[in-house]
Amino acid sequence: GADLDESTRRTLSRGRRVREVLRQGALETVPVARQVAALFAVDEGLFDEAPVAALGALEASLHRELAARSPAVASGIESGAPLGDAERAALREVAASVVARARAAGYGGAQTEQR
């Protein structure tokens, strides 16, 4: 294989994560708040250390936690309201908490990504 610099590896890895969080079943409708929260977590680098195989579970946990802990943020996203600093901070806090719990649990046994 070609030798890639660290920046290129990170970019490719981030792209795999974006693709994974956007994946949905053929007849599945994914709520906008769930998509935005997951993309926000990927863009902020919060999912960078997680194995790609664990992202579906992380995304589901993030959605549940956001609805439980910050329902106003979730409903604001659904209504199309822009994300202000407070909403971004709430999303970041919830996502970091979800990732920390998943990391402590070994990401549910998901295999780590090979470079």
Side-chain angles (χ1 to χ4, degrees):
D3 288 332
L4 300 174
D5 62 76
E6 187 60 29
S7 175
T8 301
R9 277 196 294 275
R10 277 195 310 272
T11 299
L12 291 171
S13 180
R14 180 83 42 97
R16 282 191 291 279
R17 282 161 173 70
V18 168
R19 215 173 40 247
E20 186 63 28
V21 300
L22 290 176
R23 183 173 292 171
Q24 64 190 52
L27 300 177
E28 181 182 13
T29 302
V30 179
V32 171
R34 183 174 180 160
Q35 292 177 38
V36 169
L39 287 170
F40 177 85
V42 169
D43 190 55
E44 290 287 308
L46 297 168
F47 285 179
D48 283 359
E49 294 178 19
V52 172
L55 293 181
L58 277 174
E59 180 185 2
S61 293
L62 175 57
H63 180 64
R64 282 191 305 274
E65 285 288 316
L66 183 62
R69 291 173 49 184
S70 298
V73 173
S75 64
I77 293 169
E78 287 292 338
S79 71
L83 289 176
D85 291 340
E87 292 80 15
R88 288 176 182 274
L91 269 171
R92 193 174 296 109
E93 180 183 324
V94 171
S97 169
V98 165
V99 170
R101 275 197 314 276
R103 183 184 312 117
Y107 295 107
Q111 296 297 310
T112 56
E113 181 177 305
Q114 298 296 316
R115 290 189 180 228

